[in-house]
Amino acid sequence: MKFPQFDQEIAISYFSDVKNAGQIRNELLSGNPDYQVAFINANTLLSSKHLLAAVYRAVSDQEAGSMKTKNVHSEVLFCLGGNNNIMDSLRRFGIQDDTTNIVAVKIGGGEYTKLVEGTEEPFTDEQIAKNTDIKLVKKVYKLPGTVSLDDRAQVETAAIGALLLRGFS
Amino acid sequence: MITLPEQLEKLSKQENLIAQGAESLVYSAQHPYLPQQECIVKYRPKKPYRLPELDAQLSKHRTLAEARVLQKLALGDVEVPHLVFIDAKNGLIYMEKIEGLSVKQWIWNEEGDTEGGAQEAGDKSRSLPDGDVSSLKDTLVLVGQEIGKLHKSDIVHGDLTTSNVMLRDGKPVIIDFGLASVSTLAEDKAVDLYVMERAVLSTHPVHSQQYCDWLFEGYLAVVGKSQKEVMRKLEDVRQRGRKRSMLG
Ligand SMILES: Nc1ncnc2c1ncn2[C@@H]1O[C@H](COP(=O)(O)OP(=O)(O)OP(=O)(O)O)[C@@H](O)[C@H]1O
Ligand SMILES: [Mg+2]
C-alpha cells in the first residue's frame, strides 16, 4: 500500500510460529543491511489502525526531517511508543529471542518475507486480535483505570492518541 | 482568498471546506492512513497580521491544546471525535468524522416537521406537540448528560452551543474544543452553562426555556456533588449578565 500523501511503498506481513526471532535480532544488532525492516512483537498491537497510525507518523517525520532514530524502520518502533525513551520503545515493541508472533513492516519496497521462518497469516484485525496482550498494551501506554480492558475500541483510541501526542507534552 | 494547505493537497479539495471560523478552517478529507475512509481536518492558518515567529507558536500551541483535550476526554466517558493525526507545526488536527447532524439542525428539523417551520414564528405560547416532545426531551436530556460528564472530567468547553454538539445515531458527540480548557472551578463551569443558555435562547427562541430545562435535567443527573456550587455560581453569572444588559 501507499499513503496518499507519500510515495514510499509500504508492505506489512503477519507471521505466527516464528522460529528464528533470535537470529533476526542478531542480524539487526550487527547492522545487516538486508534487515531494513521493522520487526514488531505482534502481541503489542491492537489493530491495523493502531500500527498504521505509528507507521504514518514515522513516514511523516521522515519526510519532515524530524526523525529521532537512525532510520524509518526503527522510527516505526519508536513511533509506536507513548514516550520519548527510544530504548524503551524499541525494547517493548521490538522482538525478543523467544517472540513467536511478528509483524514485519517494510517501507520503500524490497524483499523481506524470506527473512522470517514462520507461518504467514493475513494481516487483518481478526488475526491481530488473536494475540493482543491488551493488559500489556494498557501498561505500555500508561492508560488510566478509566479505560476498561474490555473496551477494546477505547483502548485503541487512547493508545493512538498517546502515540500521536508523544513528544508534545 | 482561502487556499487549501499544501499538506492536504492529496487528501482534499478546496470545495471540501465545510466550515470557516474565526480561527480555523474545517475540511472533510480522505483519511491519511486508512484506505476508503474519511476524516475531518481542522486547520489554523497563518495570520498575515501576526509576527511570523509568534504566529507559528500560537497556532502550534492552540492545535496542541485542542488535541490534548480530545485525548484527555478519550480516556474517560465523554463522546468526542477520535484523534487521527496531529501536525502541530502546520496547525493541523486530523480527527474522526462524526456522521450526523448538529443538535441545532436536528432540533430545527424536528420543530419544522411538526410546526411548519418554527423559525419564522415568534409565537412563544405555542407548545410542542406530544409526539415530538419525547424525542426532543430524550435527546436534550442526553446532551445535558454529556455536558455533565464533560464537566465531571474537569474540562470546560468554552463555546457550548447546539452547533457544537452533533448527534451520531441519536447519541450526542461534543465537538470543537478550540476554546476548551482544564478547570476544576465551579465558576468556569457556570460560565460554560451560561454560554449554553444564551446560545439556546438565540438559536431556538420559541422553546428555549423548555430545552434548557431538559438540558439541566440531564446535566444535574450526572454531575453529582459539585452541582450545588455550580448552580449557585450560575445564578451569579446570570445576574451579572442581566446587569450588563440593563446598562446596555
Ligand atoms: N469531527 C467532526 N465531524 C463532523 N463534522 C465536524 C467535525 N468537526 C467539525 N465539524 C464541522 O465543522 C464545523 C466547524 O468545526 P468547529 O466547530 O470545530 O470549528 P469552529 O467553530 O470554526 O472552531 P473555533 O470555534 O475553534 O474557531 C462544525 O460545526 C461541524 O459542522
Ligand atoms: Mg464550532
Side-chain angles (χ1 to χ4, degrees), chain A residues 69-126:
Chain A
T69 68
K70 59 182 192 299
N71 64 62
V72 72
H73 294 106
S74 51
E75 197 75 9
V76 168
L77 292 166
F78 176 52
C79 285
L80 271 167
N83 64 54
N84 270 326
N85 187 330
I86 295 172
M87 289 312 294
D88 190 56
S89 295
L90 297 194
R91 188 171 50 79
R92 285 181 184 282
F93 293 96
I95 58 173
Q96 305 300 326
D97 289 348
D98 59 355
T99 303
T100 56
N101 299 307
I102 292 180
V103 169
V105 181
K106 176 73 177 173
I107 297 167
E111 174 26 60
Y112 66 99
T113 55
K114 293 202 179 72
L115 304 175
V116 185
E117 289 167 29
T119 311
E120 190 162 357
E121 311 278 358
F123 179 70
T124 59
D125 288 337
E126 297 76 60

Side-chain angles (χ1 to χ4, degrees), chain A residues 1 3-5 48-49 52-53 56-57 60 64 143-144 146-147 153-154 157-162 164-165 168-169, chain B residues 7-8 10-11 30-35 60 64 67-68 71 73-77 82-86 88-89 94:
Chain A
M1 72 171 289
F3 297 132
Q5 292 158 296
S48 54
K49 183 167 152 185
L52 286 170
Y56 179 79
R57 181 164 183 188
S60 299
L143 301 181
T146 47
V147 178
Q154 193 189 17
T157 303
I160 291 173
L164 294 177
L165 277 164
F168 292 123
S169 345
Chain B
Q7 291 77 14
L8 294 186
K10 299 266 170 52
L11 298 178
Q30 198 183 331
H31 196 291
Y33 52 87
L34 296 180
K60 180 175 174 185
L64 281 173
R68 286 194 193 104
Q71 174 65 0
L73 293 170
L75 299 175
D77 58 355
H82 299 169
L83 285 167
V84 167
F85 189 63
I86 304 154
K89 193 165 139 265
Y94 298 61

Side-chain angles (χ1 to χ4, degrees), chain B residues 68-232:
Chain B
R68 286 194 193 104
V69 169
L70 289 173
Q71 174 65 0
K72 180 171 157 80
L73 293 170
L75 299 175
D77 58 355
V78 186
E79 288 293 332
V80 297
H82 299 169
L83 285 167
V84 167
F85 189 63
I86 304 154
D87 178 357
K89 193 165 139 265
N90 295 305
L92 299 159
I93 298 185
Y94 298 61
M95 68 182 109
E96 176 190 17
K97 179 174 195 164
I98 307 301
E99 300 290 350
L101 296 176
S102 66
V103 168
K104 168 169 97 174
Q105 191 59 54
W106 180 83
I107 292 177
W108 283 356
N109 292 354
E110 290 289 295
E111 289 175 339
D113 282 352
T114 54
E115 299 182 14
Q119 273 77 274
E120 70 236 32
D123 178 5
K124 307 217 174 188
S125 64
R126 201 172 22 178
S127 59
L128 289 158
D130 290 346
D132 289 306
V133 169
S134 76
S135 75
L136 273 164
K137 176 176 179 185
D138 292 350
T139 300
L140 288 169
V141 169
L142 286 177
V143 172
Q145 286 175 2
E146 213 57 32
I147 295 169
K149 289 194 275 173
L150 180 75
H151 282 182
K152 262 191 110 166
S153 315
D154 291 330
I155 298 288
V156 291
H157 184 279
D159 189 20
L160 276 181
T161 64
T162 48
S163 50
N164 283 336
V165 184
M166 297 184 68
L167 293 174
R168 174 171 58 193
D169 301 327
K171 299 270 164 28
V173 182
I174 307 179
I175 63 166
D176 190 1
F177 290 87
L179 296 174
S181 53
V182 179
S183 174
T184 56
L185 297 179
E187 167 94 23
D188 292 341
K189 295 173 188 177
V191 170
D192 229 15
L193 295 174
Y194 183 67
V195 168
M196 178 191 82
E197 276 184 339
R198 303 301 299 179
V200 172
L201 187 70
S202 66
T203 320
H204 312 285
V206 182
H207 303 292
S208 61
Q209 189 53 55
Q210 176 66 81
Y211 295 168
C212 284
D213 287 349
W214 288 331
L215 288 167
F216 279 109
E217 182 181 327
Y219 183 84
L220 293 172
V222 303
V223 285
K225 62 180 186 338
S226 66
Q227 61 162 285
K228 266 209 193 99
E229 213 195 334
V230 175
M231 295 312 279
R232 198 161 36 94

